[in-house]
């Protein structure tokens, strides 16, 4: 199975304008561009789109999250070695031969973008990169500790059963599975999208622009290097068949009337930018990059505020699994803010220092999240700070489902 094939098909193209009844139905007018109704691009009757590596990593993270969840459901120990192997894709840890033999892994793409961690333009460093990867590995240890059989309580890692759902919590009340999933959405997927594949340092590296202009294809493939880099950015959102990770949360934010343009803005910009690359129109391409960066950055911001307020509402009747689950999701989305990219500055909307301060504020109660009185005070102030930075209100974010 080739992961990059399952959203591709034979679709007609329209010059200058089009209308359709597809989910991303939008009329586009741009002289000189052929913009498809869906993300479908061909050369000589064969697709030029390939984001197989991104599809693989989305599915790898899904298996990691499911492993923790499934072990908790049957009161089994979470094996740190299994998660380490999944993170680095060693010793055939996944359920399919395709993933095991893909040659791809999550670890070496975590905090690894050219703009923030190679060229260090976003204030990153190799030291930070190592710290980020180590932090995710700490979540494996926390999940293991929580799976040992204790009931979760203040300063005690353990299980918390809520109806038919069993969740694992670290001693400070954070849920390792959610910190891993939401945090990796930022440190790997977001970082690679906006700070790597949509970076001019990657798209225009070496002779890439000249080769794209002259349609010099990568040896053995049906795409130019620039076309492929753009597709790889696209793949980190849409590459696993839809409905996973950023694709899912873009849809959730878009469902709120206050943010109802986000989905269309991102989808159209990806199609229009790819069409601009085909047409050698680098001005339009760069305009679409700015649209993607600014709209995508708002998604973790809105979701962080939503989960902070959702967690607070659940603290009224439940200071365990339901509240801490929501707050752990907020924690992961706050982590993701460090990897956003403001196209006006080519820097994150929240610096590493600012994100670290928000995360510390969230967990600085005497007993971490278990210090409910402390938590109640700080959830609101953190939500306000994030919403204000992005120009929306806390009330607007609270109405997102």
């Amino acid at each position: 199975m080739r992961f990059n094939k399952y959203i591709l098909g034979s679709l007609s193209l329209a010059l200058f304008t089009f209308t359709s009844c597809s989910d991303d139905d939008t009329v586009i007018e741009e002289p000189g561009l052929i913009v498809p109704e869906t993300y479908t691009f061909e050369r000589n009757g064969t697709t030029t789109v390939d984001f197989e590596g991104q599809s693989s990593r989305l599915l790898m993270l899904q298996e990691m999250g499911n492993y923790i969840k499934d072990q908790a459901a049957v009161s089994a120990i979470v094996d740190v070695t299994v998660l380490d192997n999944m993170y680095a894709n060693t010793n055939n840890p996944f359920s399919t031969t395709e993933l095991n033999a893909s040659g791809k892994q999550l670890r070496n793409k975590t905090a690894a973008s050219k703009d923030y961690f190679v060229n260090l333009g976003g204030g990153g460093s190799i030291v930070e990169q190592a710290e980020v990867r180590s932090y995710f590995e700490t979540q494996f240890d926390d999940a293991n500790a929580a799976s040992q059989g204790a009931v979760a309580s203040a300063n005690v890692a353990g299980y918390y059963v809520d109806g038919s759902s069993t969740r694992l919590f670290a001693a400070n009340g954070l849920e390792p599975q959610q910190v891993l999933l939401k945090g990796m959405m930022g440190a790997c997927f977001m970082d690679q999208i906006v700070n790597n594949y949509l970076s001019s340092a990657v798209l225009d590296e070496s002779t890439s622009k000249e080769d794209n202009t002259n349609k010099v294809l990568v040896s053995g493939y049906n795409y130019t290097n620039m076309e492929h880099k753009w597709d790889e950015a696209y793949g980190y959102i849409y590459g696993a068949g839809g409905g996973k990770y950023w694709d899912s949360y873009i849809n959730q934010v878009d469902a709120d009337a206050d943010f109802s343009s986000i989905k269309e803005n991102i989808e159209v910009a990806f199609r229009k930018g790819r069409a601009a690359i085909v047409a050698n129109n680098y001005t339009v391409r760069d305009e679409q990059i700015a649209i993607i960066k600014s709209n995508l950055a708002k998604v973790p911001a809105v979701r962080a505020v939503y989960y902070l307020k959702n967690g607070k509402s659940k603290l009224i009747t439940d200071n365990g699994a339901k509240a801490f689950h929501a707050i752990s999701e907020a924690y992961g989305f706050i982590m993701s803010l460090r990897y956003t990219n403001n196209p006006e500055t080519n820097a994150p909307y929240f610096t590493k220092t600012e994100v670290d301060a928000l995360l510390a504020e969230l967990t600085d109660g005497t007993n971490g999240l278990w210090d409910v009185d402390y938590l109640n005070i700080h959830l609101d102030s953190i939500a306000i700070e994030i919403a204000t930075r992005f120009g929306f209100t806390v009330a607007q974010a609270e109405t997102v489902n």
Side-chain angles (χ1 to χ4, degrees):
M1 176 179 178
R2 301 282 291 182
F3 298 125
N4 58 304
K5 300 299 190 292
Y6 43 60
I7 70 167
L8 305 177
S10 178
L11 298 169
S12 62
L13 302 182
L15 183 61
F16 305 135
T17 67
F18 71 81
T19 60
S20 81
C21 57
S22 65
D23 288 341
D24 48 4
D25 176 15
T26 307
V27 175
I28 295 179
E29 299 184 11
E30 190 68 48
L33 297 187
I34 299 176
V35 183
E37 298 179 6
T38 59
Y39 198 86
T40 306
F41 297 88
E42 295 183 347
R43 178 173 288 113
N44 300 323
T46 302
T47 183
T48 63
V49 177
D50 184 355
F51 43 75
E52 186 173 353
Q54 289 63 46
S55 299
S56 294
R57 292 187 183 93
L58 294 177
L59 296 174
M60 287 174 179
L61 185 61
Q62 182 179 34
E63 286 209 19
M64 292 180 74
N66 286 345
Y67 170 71
I68 297 173
K69 180 180 69 175
D70 293 345
Q71 292 298 99
V74 296
S75 300
I77 300 297
V78 173
D79 190 332
V80 173
T81 300
V82 170
L83 290 169
D84 282 336
N85 286 340
M86 286 181 169
Y87 192 34
N89 192 10
T90 57
N91 300 316
N92 299 317
F94 296 108
S95 63
T96 67
T97 300
E98 287 85 356
L99 289 183
N100 290 326
S102 66
K104 309 300 181 182
Q105 59 169 273
L106 288 164
R107 192 179 192 281
N108 67 1
K109 291 295 183 179
T110 301
S113 66
K114 181 153 287 190
D115 279 358
Y116 281 11
F117 294 97
V118 176
N119 294 340
L120 308 183
S125 68
I126 301 303
V127 171
E128 182 190 352
Q129 181 185 81
E131 289 174 346
V132 171
R133 295 174 183 181
S134 177
Y135 181 78
F136 287 119
E137 290 163 346
T138 297
Q139 302 313 302
F140 310 161
D141 296 328
D142 286 346
N144 169 267
S147 70
Q148 298 294 326
V151 176
S153 60
N155 295 315
V156 177
Y159 290 92
Y160 196 107
V161 179
D162 176 37
S164 61
S165 176
T166 301
R167 300 188 183 279
L168 301 176
F169 292 92
N172 64 357
L174 287 173
E175 185 178 355
Q177 187 223 30
Q178 288 302 313
V179 174
L180 170 67
L181 294 178
K182 273 55 180 189
M184 282 293 292
M185 284 172 61
C188 183
F189 303 158
M190 175 77 77
D191 188 46
Q192 286 294 302
I193 295 165
V194 299
N195 306 316
N196 197 69
Y197 292 120
L198 296 185
S199 164
S200 61
V202 172
L203 288 173
D204 298 337
E205 186 174 19
S206 185
T207 62
S208 182
K209 184 177 284 188
E210 179 183 353
D211 289 345
N212 184 74
T213 299
N214 295 313
K215 298 307 173 228
V216 177
L217 305 185
V218 175
S219 179
Y221 296 94
N222 193 36
Y223 48 69
T224 69
N225 182 64
M226 187 184 294
E227 290 171 342
H228 184 48
K229 298 307 181 188
W230 188 274
D231 293 342
E232 290 182 292
Y234 178 90
Y236 272 119
I237 298 177
Y238 305 106
K244 292 182 177 63
Y245 303 119
W246 288 122
D247 187 19
S248 174
Y249 288 103
I250 289 169
N251 289 333
Q252 291 177 45
V253 171
D254 187 78
D256 186 301
D258 294 307
F259 307 101
S260 60
S261 64
I262 279 185
K263 178 180 180 179
E264 180 179 299
N265 288 345
I266 294 172
E267 288 180 349
V268 170
F270 265 114
R271 287 184 281 122
K272 192 173 179 180
R274 182 59 154 80
I277 290 172
V278 174
N280 304 330
N281 190 331
Y282 305 114
T283 298
V284 171
R285 180 202 71 176
D286 292 346
E287 291 170 352
Q288 307 318 301
I289 290 172
I291 291 170
I292 294 167
K293 287 182 175 182
S294 60
N295 280 270
L296 187 57
K298 191 169 286 188
V299 177
V302 173
R303 294 313 288 177
V305 172
Y306 169 80
Y307 282 117
L308 289 168
K309 298 298 291 185
N310 183 259
K312 180 170 182 175
S313 69
K314 290 174 178 174
L315 285 174
I316 297 172
T317 57
D318 172 36
N319 66 348
K322 290 181 180 178
F324 291 177
H325 172 69
I327 294 168
S328 295
E329 293 195 82
Y331 189 96
F333 279 122
I334 293 170
M335 290 173 62
S336 293
L337 297 178
R338 186 267 176 274
Y339 305 96
T340 58
N341 186 299
N342 184 337
E344 296 182 2
T345 63
N346 197 37
Y349 283 86
F350 276 83
T351 67
K352 178 186 184 302
T353 299
E354 291 173 324
V355 167
D356 288 347
L358 291 177
L359 296 176
E361 183 179 352
L362 194 59
T363 56
D364 265 358
T366 303
N367 298 311
L369 301 186
W370 293 96
D371 190 343
V372 176
D373 290 337
Y374 170 91
L375 195 58
N376 261 314
I377 295 171
H378 291 270
L379 289 173
D380 284 333
S381 63
I382 296 171
I384 291 170
E385 184 172 352
I386 294 170
T388 301
R389 180 71 58 90
F390 280 88
F392 60 84
T393 68
V394 171
Q396 286 175 315
E398 282 186 280
T399 58
V400 176
N401 293 321

